[in-house]
């Protein structure tokens, strides 16, 4: 089955017209964003999209760019492994250092919210990419894969760890390049055999990529949580969820639950897959979204979730949800009116 969609560190929501007016902040799935970008780049005919399972999507691109391309992708949460068999360019998330790729490079990318950047593709160089997207449900079934936990020492200035945005580039091993080539060359007829083959190869590529990451880091750097530590961590999570409007600092939260600050931060990385600050921000913004959807004013919502400054709240909400709180409220209210009218 073929399913189209999305946006990531390579393909995002960009066109010269949209960029000129500040970009389109409409929230959509990563599949919708990538599909739109492939079309805007004129790469539809050069792209093959496979979805061998509901939790794995594979984009295979083979194109010769006639000119240098610079574009600013913007898209929602995603997890991907991109393998470059050919091509020259650079990938960059806003606020981080660009990663320069070439044939034989690979990139693991993960973010849990709307993320933007600027990417470059060099003209006259054949660009062949295998981009494997994995849904959150599969990552959880595989044990809660987190680049924050696995990356360790190799998390470089291409990433923004404090914002839970990870772009980790590395040299692809011959084995990983071989798996990418086998995905490109798959000649099984459409059906269960083809889907099984593509799915297994995609998971194999992910395993090789993550193994490369762990080996480069010198092995996992965070020791597992003990039972008592896990109990205290669960208390910290509960405090955030029940009292998200409080002025929680890491020091205060650690003291309240009886963990030292370093272990509290490690615990969130291990068990939650997010930093303490990111989890608090997400909890607040989810609560804010619910309040706005119910008709609460932007000012009242900001105060209810612990913000004294309306401008800071608006910026935080837009960063998390991709739209201003006023736009979100208006959209949700309109949707509610349509439901109520039976439209």
């Amino acid at each position: 089955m073929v399913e189209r969609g999305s946006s990531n560190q390579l393909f995002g929501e960009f066109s010269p017209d949209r960029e000129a007016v500040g970009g389109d902040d409409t929230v959509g799935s990563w599949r919708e964003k990538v599909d739109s970008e492939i079309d805007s780049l004129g790469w539809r005919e050069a792209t093959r999209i496979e979805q061998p399972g509901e939790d794995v999507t594979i984009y295979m691109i083979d194109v010769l760019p006639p000119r240098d391309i610079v574009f600013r992708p913007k898209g929602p949460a995603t997890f991907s492994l991109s393998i470059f068999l050919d091509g020259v360019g650079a990938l960059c998330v806003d606020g981080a250092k660009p990663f320069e790729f070439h044939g034989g490079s690979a990139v693991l990318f993960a973010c849990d919210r709307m993320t933007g950047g600027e990417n470059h593709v060099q003209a006259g160089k054949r660009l062949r990419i295998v981009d494997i997207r994995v849904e959150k449900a599969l990552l959880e079934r595989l044990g809660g894969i987190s680049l924050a936990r696995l990356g360790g020492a190799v998390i470089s200035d291409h990433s923004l760890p404090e914002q839970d945005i990870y772009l980790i580039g590395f040299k692809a091993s011959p084995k990983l390049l071989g798996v990418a080539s086998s995905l490109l060359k798959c000649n099984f007829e459409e059906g269960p055999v083809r889907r099984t083959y593509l799915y297994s190869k995609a998971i194999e590529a992910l395993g090789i990529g993550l193994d490369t990451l762990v080996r480069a880091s010198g092995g996992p750097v965070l020791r597992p949580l003990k039972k008592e530590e896990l109990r205290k961590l669960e208390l910290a999570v509960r405090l955030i969820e029940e009292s998200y409007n409080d002025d929680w600092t890491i020091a205060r939260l650690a003291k309240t639950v009886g963990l030292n600050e370093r272990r509290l931060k490690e615990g969130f990385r291990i068990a939650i897959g997010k930093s303490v600050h990111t989890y608090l921000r997400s909890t607040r913004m989810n609560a804010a979204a619910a309040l706005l959807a119910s008709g609460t004013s932007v000012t009242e919502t900001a105060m209810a979730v612990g913000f004294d400054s309306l401008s800071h709240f608006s910026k935080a909400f837009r960063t998390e949800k991709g739209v201003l709180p006023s736009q979100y409220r208006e959209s949700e209210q309109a949707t509610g009116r349509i439901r109520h009218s039976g439209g």
Side-chain angles (χ1 to χ4, degrees):
M1 181 176 77
V2 175
E3 181 169 325
R4 298 186 173 91
S6 108
S7 163
N8 79 333
Q9 77 274 15
L10 184 58
F11 303 111
E13 185 180 23
F14 168 83
S15 74
D17 292 339
R18 285 193 301 244
E19 185 66 9
V21 296
D24 180 354
D25 290 317
T26 302
V27 176
S29 73
W30 63 258
R31 290 193 178 102
E32 291 169 347
K33 304 294 186 182
V34 169
D35 194 58
S36 173
E37 187 55 40
I38 288 173
D39 285 334
S40 69
L41 289 169
W43 289 358
R44 175 61 58 191
E45 296 300 318
T47 303
R48 191 167 92 240
I49 307 171
E50 303 271 359
Q51 191 180 27
E54 62 181 12
D55 47 17
V56 172
T57 306
I58 308 166
Y59 291 83
M60 290 170 273
I61 299 137
D62 189 347
V63 67
L64 183 65
R67 57 181 175 80
D68 287 349
I69 300 173
V70 179
F71 56 102
R72 290 192 55 80
K74 183 176 183 180
T78 189
F79 186 105
S80 67
L81 168 63
S82 301
I83 306 157
F84 297 86
L85 289 98
D86 296 288
V88 177
L91 309 175
C92 180
V93 295
D94 288 336
K97 181 180 177 181
F99 171 73
E100 297 182 357
F101 69 82
H102 52 76
S105 297
V107 172
L108 277 160
F109 179 82
C111 65
D112 67 350
R113 59 186 178 84
M114 292 291 292
T115 303
E118 180 172 287
N119 299 329
H120 300 243
V121 176
Q122 187 172 319
K125 302 288 186 180
R126 184 185 185 187
L127 185 65
R128 281 199 305 157
I129 312 166
V130 174
D131 182 77
I132 301 168
R133 298 305 183 89
V134 180
E135 301 293 347
K136 183 178 180 180
L138 177 57
L139 297 176
E140 291 173 348
R141 288 199 300 274
L142 294 175
I145 291 174
S146 165
L147 295 188
R149 179 154 46 104
L150 298 176
V154 300
I155 293 177
S156 67
D157 48 7
H158 307 305
S159 299
L160 299 172
E162 69 282 0
Q163 298 182 35
D164 284 324
I165 302 172
Y166 299 92
L167 192 160
I168 304 175
F170 57 96
K171 181 180 179 181
S173 66
K175 189 174 182 181
L176 181 56
L177 293 172
V179 174
S181 294
S182 67
L183 285 166
L184 284 170
K185 296 174 182 177
C186 176
N187 57 11
F188 289 109
E189 295 292 331
E190 177 59 40
V193 173
R194 180 182 181 86
R195 290 194 295 272
T196 300
Y197 179 83
L198 291 172
Y199 191 91
S200 65
K201 286 296 181 182
I203 298 301
E204 182 182 358
L206 181 62
I208 295 170
L210 292 172
D211 180 63
T212 301
L213 192 62
V214 170
R215 289 177 183 274
S217 297
V221 295
L222 302 181
R223 58 185 173 86
L225 293 167
K226 296 178 180 178
K227 186 175 181 180
E228 181 62 17
E229 290 177 323
L230 184 58
R231 185 189 66 77
K232 293 177 179 179
L233 182 69
E234 290 172 346
L235 175 58
V237 170
R238 190 162 64 251
L239 285 171
I240 287 176
E241 292 178 344
E242 294 177 355
S243 305
Y244 50 77
N245 57 339
D246 280 5
D247 184 20
W248 289 112
T249 63
I250 291 177
R252 181 189 172 204
L253 189 61
K255 183 178 180 180
T256 301
V257 302
L259 277 175
N260 67 56
E261 293 180 32
R262 179 184 62 81
R263 197 56 177 153
L264 177 70
K265 291 188 286 187
E266 288 182 352
F268 267 79
R269 294 287 187 192
I270 293 169
I272 309 299
K274 297 180 179 180
S275 68
V276 179
H277 288 306
T278 297
Y279 190 75
L280 176 58
R281 183 190 65 228
S282 296
T283 301
R284 283 175 168 170
M285 294 305 104
N286 287 338
L291 288 170
L292 292 168
S294 71
T296 306
S297 72
V298 174
T299 300
E300 290 174 326
T301 298
M303 295 179 62
V305 298
F307 283 80
D308 295 327
S309 167
L310 189 59
S311 62
H312 288 169
F313 168 68
S314 295
K315 182 178 179 180
F317 190 89
R318 180 170 180 168
T319 297
E320 183 76 17
K321 300 297 184 181
V323 294
L324 290 169
S326 57
Q327 295 171 326
Y328 185 89
R329 182 177 183 273
E330 182 179 343
S331 174
E332 289 297 308
Q333 291 293 294
T335 302
R337 287 193 294 270
I338 292 173
R339 290 198 190 103
H340 183 72
S341 65

Tab-separated table of all heavy atoms in Angstrom, residues 105-144:
chain	number	residue	atom	x	y	z
A	105	SER	N	26.433	9.443	3.968
A	105	SER	CA	26.020	10.003	5.260
A	105	SER	C	24.671	9.428	5.673
A	105	SER	O	23.897	8.956	4.838
A	105	SER	CB	25.892	11.530	5.187
A	105	SER	OG	27.123	12.142	4.899
A	106	ALA	N	24.407	9.479	6.961
A	106	ALA	CA	23.094	9.109	7.492
A	106	ALA	C	22.748	10.083	8.606
A	106	ALA	O	23.636	10.664	9.242
A	106	ALA	CB	23.094	7.683	8.009
A	107	VAL	N	21.462	10.266	8.834
A	107	VAL	CA	20.996	11.204	9.859
A	107	VAL	C	19.839	10.587	10.622
A	107	VAL	O	18.861	10.125	10.022
A	107	VAL	CB	20.534	12.538	9.231
A	107	VAL	CG1	19.866	13.419	10.284
A	107	VAL	CG2	21.702	13.271	8.586
A	108	LEU	N	19.949	10.568	11.933
A	108	LEU	CA	18.824	10.243	12.805
A	108	LEU	C	18.257	11.560	13.307
A	108	LEU	O	19.005	12.434	13.754
A	108	LEU	CB	19.277	9.380	13.979
A	108	LEU	CG	19.383	7.879	13.693
A	108	LEU	CD1	20.271	7.193	14.724
A	108	LEU	CD2	17.999	7.230	13.662
A	109	PHE	N	16.940	11.702	13.189
A	109	PHE	CA	16.303	12.959	13.565
A	109	PHE	C	15.071	12.666	14.408
A	109	PHE	O	14.302	11.754	14.110
A	109	PHE	CB	15.885	13.738	12.318
A	109	PHE	CG	15.196	15.044	12.619
A	109	PHE	CD1	15.937	16.170	12.925
A	109	PHE	CD2	13.820	15.141	12.601
A	109	PHE	CE1	15.312	17.381	13.207
A	109	PHE	CE2	13.180	16.346	12.880
A	109	PHE	CZ	13.937	17.469	13.190
A	110	ALA	N	14.892	13.465	15.468
A	110	ALA	CA	13.703	13.317	16.307
A	110	ALA	C	13.338	14.657	16.913
A	110	ALA	O	14.206	15.417	17.347
A	110	ALA	CB	13.950	12.293	17.417
A	111	CYS	N	12.047	14.965	16.900
A	111	CYS	CA	11.542	16.129	17.607
A	111	CYS	C	10.121	15.799	18.065
A	111	CYS	O	9.464	14.943	17.469
A	111	CYS	CB	11.551	17.380	16.730
A	111	CYS	SG	10.436	17.296	15.308
A	112	ASP	N	9.674	16.464	19.117
A	112	ASP	CA	8.349	16.144	19.646
A	112	ASP	C	7.375	17.298	19.490
A	112	ASP	O	6.330	17.326	20.131
A	112	ASP	CB	8.435	15.713	21.115
A	112	ASP	CG	8.860	16.853	22.044
A	112	ASP	OD1	9.263	17.913	21.523
A	112	ASP	OD2	8.789	16.682	23.267
A	113	ARG	N	7.719	18.276	18.628
A	113	ARG	CA	6.832	19.430	18.435
A	113	ARG	C	7.173	20.088	17.107
A	113	ARG	O	8.061	19.632	16.395
A	113	ARG	CB	7.009	20.419	19.579
A	113	ARG	CG	8.437	20.938	19.726
A	113	ARG	CD	8.563	21.806	20.958
A	113	ARG	NE	9.912	22.281	21.166
A	113	ARG	CZ	10.430	23.354	20.575
A	113	ARG	NH1	9.716	24.040	19.709
A	113	ARG	NH2	11.659	23.734	20.834
A	114	MET	N	6.472	21.180	16.778
A	114	MET	CA	6.758	21.914	15.558
A	114	MET	C	8.206	22.391	15.561
A	114	MET	O	8.679	22.963	16.534
A	114	MET	CB	5.827	23.117	15.428
A	114	MET	CG	4.372	22.757	15.184
A	114	MET	SD	4.063	22.031	13.554
A	114	MET	CE	4.372	23.432	12.482
A	115	THR	N	8.908	22.119	14.461
A	115	THR	CA	10.322	22.460	14.356
A	115	THR	C	10.617	22.990	12.963
A	115	THR	O	10.102	22.456	11.976
A	115	THR	CB	11.197	21.219	14.625
A	115	THR	OG1	10.890	20.694	15.914
A	115	THR	CG2	12.673	21.560	14.568
A	116	GLY	N	11.427	24.032	12.888
A	116	GLY	CA	11.792	24.602	11.600
A	116	GLY	C	13.291	24.575	11.395
A	116	GLY	O	14.065	24.317	12.319
A	117	GLY	N	13.715	24.851	10.165
A	117	GLY	CA	15.137	24.875	9.860
A	117	GLY	C	15.393	25.385	8.460
A	117	GLY	O	14.489	25.890	7.786
A	118	GLU	N	16.639	25.249	8.020
A	118	GLU	CA	17.007	25.634	6.657
A	118	GLU	C	17.894	24.559	6.068
A	118	GLU	O	18.883	24.158	6.690
A	118	GLU	CB	17.736	26.978	6.645
A	118	GLU	CG	18.134	27.431	5.246
A	118	GLU	CD	18.687	28.843	5.215
A	118	GLU	OE1	17.867	29.781	5.372
A	118	GLU	OE2	19.909	28.990	5.060
A	119	ASN	N	17.557	24.098	4.871
A	119	ASN	CA	18.286	23.018	4.222
A	119	ASN	C	18.780	23.429	2.846
A	119	ASN	O	18.180	24.278	2.189
A	119	ASN	CB	17.403	21.780	4.119
A	119	ASN	CG	16.969	21.267	5.482
A	119	ASN	OD1	17.698	21.401	6.460
A	119	ASN	ND2	15.776	20.715	5.551
A	120	HIS	N	19.867	22.802	2.420
A	120	HIS	CA	20.491	23.111	1.148
A	120	HIS	C	20.712	21.814	0.372
A	120	HIS	O	21.115	20.798	0.950
A	120	HIS	CB	21.845	23.787	1.358
A	120	HIS	CG	21.784	25.072	2.121
A	120	HIS	ND1	22.148	26.279	1.590
A	120	HIS	CD2	21.381	25.347	3.385
A	120	HIS	CE1	21.987	27.235	2.484
A	120	HIS	NE2	21.521	26.687	3.591
A	121	VAL	N	20.481	21.872	-0.920
A	121	VAL	CA	20.793	20.755	-1.822
A	121	VAL	C	21.598	21.324	-2.988
A	121	VAL	O	21.189	22.323	-3.597
A	121	VAL	CB	19.518	20.066	-2.346
A	121	VAL	CG1	19.883	18.978	-3.346
A	121	VAL	CG2	18.724	19.463	-1.187
A	122	GLN	N	22.734	20.724	-3.287
A	122	GLN	CA	23.621	21.241	-4.327
A	122	GLN	C	23.185	20.796	-5.717
A	122	GLN	O	22.800	19.642	-5.923
A	122	GLN	CB	25.057	20.785	-4.057
A	122	GLN	CG	26.092	21.402	-4.991
A	122	GLN	CD	27.509	21.070	-4.559
A	122	GLN	OE1	27.820	21.088	-3.366
A	122	GLN	NE2	28.362	20.761	-5.521
A	123	ALA	N	23.270	21.724	-6.664
A	123	ALA	CA	22.881	21.443	-8.047
A	123	ALA	C	23.880	20.508	-8.722
A	123	ALA	O	25.062	20.472	-8.374
A	123	ALA	CB	22.795	22.748	-8.834
A	124	GLY	N	23.370	19.769	-9.708
A	124	GLY	CA	24.235	18.945	-10.547
A	124	GLY	C	24.755	17.685	-9.885
A	124	GLY	O	25.556	16.963	-10.485
A	125	LYS	N	24.330	17.414	-8.667
A	125	LYS	CA	24.745	16.214	-7.947
A	125	LYS	C	23.523	15.315	-7.755
A	125	LYS	O	22.532	15.742	-7.177
A	125	LYS	CB	25.335	16.566	-6.576
A	125	LYS	CG	26.527	17.507	-6.632
A	125	LYS	CD	27.761	16.815	-7.173
A	125	LYS	CE	28.973	17.752	-7.076
A	125	LYS	NZ	30.192	17.117	-7.594
A	126	ARG	N	23.609	14.112	-8.275
A	126	ARG	CA	22.497	13.178	-8.098
A	126	ARG	C	22.182	13.014	-6.617
A	126	ARG	O	23.074	12.830	-5.796
A	126	ARG	CB	22.859	11.822	-8.704
A	126	ARG	CG	21.714	10.804	-8.657
A	126	ARG	CD	22.188	9.454	-9.170
A	126	ARG	NE	21.110	8.486	-9.243
A	126	ARG	CZ	21.299	7.191	-9.532
A	126	ARG	NH1	22.532	6.737	-9.764
A	126	ARG	NH2	20.270	6.382	-9.578
A	127	LEU	N	20.902	13.106	-6.280
A	127	LEU	CA	20.455	12.989	-4.896
A	127	LEU	C	19.637	11.715	-4.749
A	127	LEU	O	18.551	11.596	-5.316
A	127	LEU	CB	19.617	14.207	-4.514
A	127	LEU	CG	19.147	14.313	-3.060
A	127	LEU	CD1	20.339	14.486	-2.118
A	127	LEU	CD2	18.172	15.477	-2.890
A	128	ARG	N	20.178	10.767	-4.008
A	128	ARG	CA	19.461	9.505	-3.739
A	128	ARG	C	19.347	9.352	-2.229
A	128	ARG	O	20.345	9.255	-1.528
A	128	ARG	CB	20.181	8.302	-4.337
A	128	ARG	CG	19.977	8.106	-5.820
A	128	ARG	CD	20.331	6.678	-6.244
A	128	ARG	NE	21.692	6.328	-5.849
A	128	ARG	CZ	22.120	5.068	-5.682
A	128	ARG	NH1	21.271	4.048	-5.831
A	128	ARG	NH2	23.375	4.834	-5.344
A	129	ILE	N	18.117	9.300	-1.757
A	129	ILE	CA	17.855	9.227	-0.320
A	129	ILE	C	16.851	8.121	-0.027
A	129	ILE	O	15.867	7.960	-0.752
A	129	ILE	CB	17.255	10.546	0.203
A	129	ILE	CG1	18.049	11.752	-0.281
A	129	ILE	CG2	17.181	10.540	1.731
A	129	ILE	CD1	17.304	13.050	-0.076
A	130	VAL	N	17.091	7.416	1.052
A	130	VAL	CA	16.084	6.530	1.640
A	130	VAL	C	15.758	7.121	3.006
A	130	VAL	O	16.624	7.205	3.879
A	130	VAL	CB	16.590	5.087	1.772
A	130	VAL	CG1	15.568	4.236	2.532
A	130	VAL	CG2	16.866	4.483	0.402
A	131	ASP	N	14.531	7.571	3.166
A	131	ASP	CA	14.098	8.226	4.397
A	131	ASP	C	13.034	7.357	5.056
A	131	ASP	O	11.958	7.147	4.492
A	131	ASP	CB	13.537	9.614	4.075
A	131	ASP	CG	13.121	10.369	5.327
A	131	ASP	OD1	14.021	10.882	6.017
A	131	ASP	OD2	11.915	10.448	5.600
A	132	ILE	N	13.339	6.842	6.235
A	132	ILE	CA	12.454	5.917	6.945
A	132	ILE	C	11.817	6.643	8.120
A	132	ILE	O	12.509	7.136	9.017
A	132	ILE	CB	13.238	4.688	7.444
A	132	ILE	CG1	13.886	3.952	6.253
A	132	ILE	CG2	12.324	3.745	8.237
A	132	ILE	CD1	14.911	2.915	6.670
A	133	ARG	N	10.486	6.717	8.129
A	133	ARG	CA	9.740	7.366	9.204
A	133	ARG	C	9.094	6.311	10.092
A	133	ARG	O	8.460	5.381	9.591
A	133	ARG	CB	8.656	8.273	8.634
A	133	ARG	CG	9.196	9.404	7.783
A	133	ARG	CD	10.220	10.214	8.584
A	133	ARG	NE	10.700	11.327	7.825
A	133	ARG	CZ	10.132	12.525	7.824
A	133	ARG	NH1	9.041	12.755	8.520
A	133	ARG	NH2	10.664	13.498	7.116
A	134	VAL	N	9.248	6.476	11.383
A	134	VAL	CA	8.720	5.512	12.344
A	134	VAL	C	7.759	6.219	13.281
A	134	VAL	O	8.080	7.278	13.827
A	134	VAL	CB	9.866	4.861	13.142
A	134	VAL	CG1	9.317	3.846	14.138
A	134	VAL	CG2	10.869	4.202	12.208
A	135	GLU	N	6.573	5.646	13.461
A	135	GLU	CA	5.574	6.251	14.337
A	135	GLU	C	5.901	5.999	15.809
A	135	GLU	O	6.573	5.031	16.166
A	135	GLU	CB	4.182	5.691	14.020
A	135	GLU	CG	3.732	5.917	12.582
A	135	GLU	CD	3.490	7.373	12.255
A	135	GLU	OE1	3.436	8.193	13.199
A	135	GLU	OE2	3.364	7.699	11.064
A	136	LYS	N	5.392	6.880	16.653
A	136	LYS	CA	5.668	6.822	18.086
A	136	LYS	C	5.261	5.489	18.698
A	136	LYS	O	5.966	4.953	19.559
A	136	LYS	CB	4.927	7.966	18.781
A	136	LYS	CG	5.191	8.044	20.277
A	136	LYS	CD	4.455	9.223	20.893
A	136	LYS	CE	4.708	9.300	22.393
A	136	LYS	NZ	3.988	10.452	23.004
A	137	ALA	N	4.151	4.924	18.242
A	137	ALA	CA	3.669	3.658	18.823
A	137	ALA	C	4.703	2.548	18.650
A	137	ALA	O	4.901	1.722	19.549
A	137	ALA	CB	2.346	3.257	18.168
A	138	LEU	N	5.366	2.511	17.491
A	138	LEU	CA	6.381	1.479	17.256
A	138	LEU	C	7.590	1.721	18.150
A	138	LEU	O	8.143	0.767	18.726
A	138	LEU	CB	6.794	1.466	15.790
A	138	LEU	CG	7.914	0.476	15.431
A	138	LEU	CD1	7.529	-0.948	15.812
A	138	LEU	CD2	8.254	0.559	13.950
A	139	LEU	N	8.011	2.961	18.286
A	139	LEU	CA	9.144	3.263	19.151
A	139	LEU	C	8.867	2.811	20.583
A	139	LEU	O	9.761	2.296	21.262
A	139	LEU	CB	9.434	4.766	19.124
A	139	LEU	CG	9.843	5.361	17.775
A	139	LEU	CD1	9.995	6.871	17.901
A	139	LEU	CD2	11.119	4.737	17.262
A	140	GLU	N	7.641	3.002	21.017
A	140	GLU	CA	7.278	2.573	22.371
A	140	GLU	C	7.294	1.057	22.492
A	140	GLU	O	7.749	0.513	23.504
A	140	GLU	CB	5.905	3.138	22.734
A	140	GLU	CG	5.906	4.655	22.907
A	140	GLU	CD	4.516	5.230	23.108
A	140	GLU	OE1	3.538	4.491	22.879
A	140	GLU	OE2	4.418	6.411	23.500
A	141	ARG	N	6.812	0.365	21.457
A	141	ARG	CA	6.828	-1.107	21.498
A	141	ARG	C	8.251	-1.654	21.486
A	141	ARG	O	8.506	-2.749	22.007
A	141	ARG	CB	6.046	-1.680	20.308
A	141	ARG	CG	4.546	-1.519	20.407
A	141	ARG	CD	3.807	-2.475	19.490
A	141	ARG	NE	4.145	-2.284	18.098
A	141	ARG	CZ	3.559	-1.404	17.294
A	141	ARG	NH1	2.603	-0.623	17.773
A	141	ARG	NH2	3.912	-1.296	16.032
A	142	LEU	N	9.170	-0.894	20.896
A	142	LEU	CA	10.567	-1.314	20.845
A	142	LEU	C	11.330	-0.936	22.108
A	142	LEU	O	12.544	-1.109	22.166
A	142	LEU	CB	11.252	-0.698	19.616
A	142	LEU	CG	10.729	-1.181	18.252
A	142	LEU	CD1	11.399	-0.402	17.127
A	142	LEU	CD2	10.969	-2.676	18.071
A	143	GLY	N	10.622	-0.433	23.096
A	143	GLY	CA	11.258	-0.145	24.367
A	143	GLY	C	11.429	1.327	24.665
A	143	GLY	O	12.240	1.710	25.509
A	144	GLY	N	10.670	2.175	23.974
A	144	GLY	CA	10.760	3.604	24.234
A	144	GLY	C	12.047	4.212	23.722
A	144	GLY	O	12.780	4.874	24.462
